[in-house]
Amino acid sequence: MALKIVKGSIDRMFDKNLQDLVRGIRNHKEDEAKYISTCIDEIKQELKQDNIAVKANAVCKLTYLQMLGYDVSWAAFNIVEVMSSSKFTYKRIGYLAASQCFHESTDVIMLTTNQIRKDLSSPNQYDTGVALTGLSCFVTPDLARDLANDIMTLMSHTKPYIRKKAVLIMYKVFLKYPESLRPAFPRLKEKLEDPDPGVQSAAVNVICELARRNPKNYLSLAPLFFKLMTSSTNNWVLIKIIKLFGALTPLEPRLGKKLIEPLTNLIHSTSAMSLLYECVNTVYIDVNTPPLPSLSLSLCLYLSLPPQLCVQKLRILIEDSDQNLKYLGLLAMSKILKTHPKSVQSHKDLILQCLDDKDESIRLRALDLLYGMVSKKNLMEIVKKLMLHVDKAEGTTYRDELLTKIIDICSQSNYQYITNFEWYISILVELTRLEGTRHGHLIASQMLDVAIRVKAIRGFAVAQMATLLDNAHLLTGNMQRMGICEVLYAAAWICGEFSEHLENPMQTLEAMLRPKVATLPGHIQAVYVQNAAKLFATVLKSQEGNTDSTAAQETSQLMIDRLPLFVQSANLEVQERASCILQLVKYIQKLQQKDVEVAEEVSALFAGELNPVAPKAQKKVPVPEGLDLDSWINEPPSESESEDEQPKAIFAKEEPKHSRPRREEVDEKELAKRREARKQEQANNPFYIKASPSSQKVYQEAPGVEHIPVVQIDLSVPLKVPGLPMSDQYVKLEEERRQKERAEKKKKEKKKRKEKRSGRGKKHDSGPESEEDITPAHQVDIVTEEMPEKSSKHKKKKQKKEKEEKEKKKKKKHHHHHHHSDGGGEEAVQNGTVEEEEPLLTSLKNKSSTYQVVVSVIFENKCDSFLKSMEFNVLDSLNSKLQRPEGSGPHDGLTVPFQLPPGVSNEARFVFTVQSIIMPQKLKGTLTFIVKDSSTHEKLDFKLHFTCTSYLITTPCYSDAFAKLLESGDLKCSSVRLEGVNMPFHHLLARICFHHHFSVVERIDSCASMYSRSIQGHHVCLLVKVTVSIDAKCDEPTLLGNVLDEIKQTFSQC
Amino acid sequence: MQFMLLFSRQGKLRLQKWYVPLSDKERKKISRDLVQTILARKPKMCSFLEWRDLKIVYKRYASLYFCCAVEDQDNELITLEIIHRYVELLDKYFGSVCELDIIFNFEKAYFILDEFLLGGEAQETSKKNVLKAIEQADLLQEVRIFLYHQIHLL
């Protein structure tokens, strides 16, 4: 069927129809615009004719031209004319043209209302259909308001063809004219149970879309939808219903419970990937996103198999060879990751595989996922893998993305996952070898941040930076590499600031004063000059120690020789610094010639350490009295002024006073609003210095880096700078370090057990190390709350932990009323509730990171039978473990080494190893024993409560040491109020001393300062006031919080 | 769904349907941007991309790209299904559809789309019903339909 003629029309024969136009355009490829402009002229002529067929043909051609991008808005009225033709052929074309060309601002739409109404009520369903379709594209609020009733009537039309269109278009009407929703809703709800599946699906569609905007109002429909969901087999409908439930469940958690079964069935049974994806995506994800994350969490608790099942299903998607499914699987996975990181983390292998995918969008998705998956354990491995990809990556966008991701991954939450900073520095240095990256400044800011905050790393960092400076020509040699020269900024600053760590400062100084430096961007040169001065100071210091004074003078001469180059710099900053320093050095040289020792004074120029400043530090600065930050410095030019001027001329006599006192009306709310606006503005203003954890990062991108003429050296070989470390070696080192740690641990464990352990024990032995086991090799200074007030003073080094034997109070109440009844089991139940209240801390020894706590338990036999074969057992937690003798399993009990005659008490000691002491612990335990007469095993459950207090040791402290401690700024602060305590102040103090192991440092009238120290050396300082409020400071906020809670508890009991 | 675009490998727009009110200028900018972005993608890449705050789902059939923009919560796979369903409808209607069929009968392509989607939502999931509606409407019309058999989409 090559040519199908429905009906001929003689009028058409002479005109150019759409096909001719298309063909013509294709034949005029060279002068298309000209051809089309002649066509448009023709069309204009055609539109002037009275024949509607000719007009319709013209409008049809215009619609085509509109798609090609030509403006046809001038023909809007002609389109309306064609729309109102009584012939379906033309009407159809008219409506199509309208739906393509009209939008809300087309003014002729107003003229169409009556025509559309007429068409809607046409006896021909296709007229109605065409009108509805057209309307869906160009409905305006006015049209919606005028036609809402007509469309509503159509929802009950006899023909399902019209009903479904009417239902769907109602959604557009609701959007444009929300008032129509209320009257139309009952009918819409009715349509959910329409006999025609098409209409039903349309209604589901509309309600689902409505519910996404405002779920609250549609909760009442949940049962109806539930019925639909279990009965429908139409995937299109099911997907919409699931989406709807996704919107409803956060509001009604009970729904989640009901949904488990049908959803699980769907997930297991469906073969449609789209439906499966919707189930997994909506139910477990949409629900998990705000606004109500807490509810969604509870939903997940309801759904007993959730994340695992989902992730498993997603794994199937990701493993699929279809790129689309892979992509969606990763996308959904990244959403689950936010709420259930654990269940995703086990699929790390799969995600890493995706990095090798040929599709870039999949690789980027996988990268996003990796960000959330890293842990201390796998960071190095993941980053190593990423570095390999960096080398392989083609295309700078993807490589830059990789680079930023590596840095993001490593630096997230204050470098939480980095255990070895030497490794990280090496990674950063390796990254500088990337060609053509735009992210030099990112690497630079990381280098600065790490070097400043990780004190232990400075020596290493400085050595690396010195090498980098030495090889600076490699970084700057190529024009393409200009972005990377930002790292030299960091390198120069680090070498200068921490120059005391430099092995060969003289060499670095020379590197920094090379003439080539002058080709670097201005802001980098400025840092070079400034830090050259710092280095100069260091060099002088070392040289003056020697007897040979000429060396020092030569150094000065070097400075004097090289600096003039910078004095000539076009950059003001460089020029200013250079000329300043040049003069200074000249003066120094003069002094040197007189044999004056100057090194001390020169280094005094740069004395003092720069410390990171906490983001909230500004808050700590008190606002001076009488300063109102919200009042204007100068009155703002009020609008009234400009208003004043005009009236003055006209109403010269009138008092302009009334417009003056506008400012007084500014109320609190207004002020708050302005404050907010100002904050906003500051946040957006690049020149406003924001409080950031490392304010050193604030330096601006050099403008016009690429304009600096540099000789281009073409390096096709990837650069390998001798002497620069390879990060890989750290992976190995770290592995060794951890192995050593693990071995030590094992040794300890082995002591406790014999080798002949069977299955379970062995698994435990070789099991993967847990996250807590990995201790970072370096500590990051994380400044969050407190501002270091004085940089020089530092927290006292942790005092040596002493072993201290301290018998503390102990009472183990054995409510052991022996009922001489037949069954011992009954009794055990009775006793099952006995709770051990006081932890009986006694002695402590520290062994690296684990601590031993000795608990002495006093057993008292209150019944009148003889008790024997007592066995004491505790369920270990991750943190606290009962030490068992060698050869016993982790769940074996310890035999109590004595028997108890009636009425006798005796004490036994048990050793626990504790890792973290900042949280209180409750261990569950049981005591089994045999009552001699009945010779049955009895059981007594108890709880062992390790309070945080029990880890505190009363340690005396002198008031000056105390003051120093408080000043050091290393302590976090917290406070608590004790309600309803009315006892003499000294009783109160005595109670704190007794129950919580504090000692009074000083007492002045109505307040007292108290001190205690934990077995891990945390300082806990209290300031207790007679008003019974306690302000406290501690270097471990969690510990402090818990201790305060316990103090509060003590006083709430009395 | 926010809009649907059909364009050729050369970047020529073959069909556009907008379900959100936008000015001509914005429409032009969006389609130009998208056509460029999608044509730059390699053939083996997946059919989805994030673009501004929308999700773009596209698929290539012979020399034609079909591209839809959906909102964030929408299901990509079902959108892909919609595209495929539309191509099937075109194929059934024209009998082995090719790009030229769509160029020369572009208003027909619109009519079919309008029977299948309304206001951006699927209005009829049964292929049979869509074709029936179109055929019946055609009976009322007096037009010739030229069919071109060249490179078939399916």
Side-chain angles (χ1 to χ4, degrees), chain A residues 96-137:
Chain A
L96 173 64
S99 65
Q100 293 300 104
C101 310
F102 287 4
H103 37 81
E104 284 192 345
S105 52
T106 310
D107 38 13
V108 292
I109 285 187
M110 299 188 299
L111 307 175
T112 59
T113 318
N114 280 323
Q115 180 58 42
I116 296 174
R117 182 172 287 141
K118 211 175 109 197
D119 288 334
L120 289 180
S121 55
S122 160
N124 179 352
Q125 61 165 331
Y126 294 103
D127 281 349
T128 317
V130 159
L132 283 173
T133 310
L135 193 57
S136 74
C137 290

Side-chain angles (χ1 to χ4, degrees), chain A residues 916-927:
Chain A
S916 162
I917 62 156
I918 60 171
M919 300 276 278
Q921 292 270 324
K922 258 187 190 156
L923 296 185
K924 280 184 184 167
T926 45
L927 183 76

Side-chain angles (χ1 to χ4, degrees), chain A residues 572-590:
Chain A
L572 273 183
E573 183 76 16
V574 181
Q575 204 185 88
E576 189 184 9
R577 292 189 189 197
S579 57
C580 237
I581 290 165
L582 182 61
Q583 287 313 311
L584 190 69
V585 176
K586 280 183 181 162
Y587 180 68
I588 289 167
Q589 200 187 29
K590 229 186 263 168

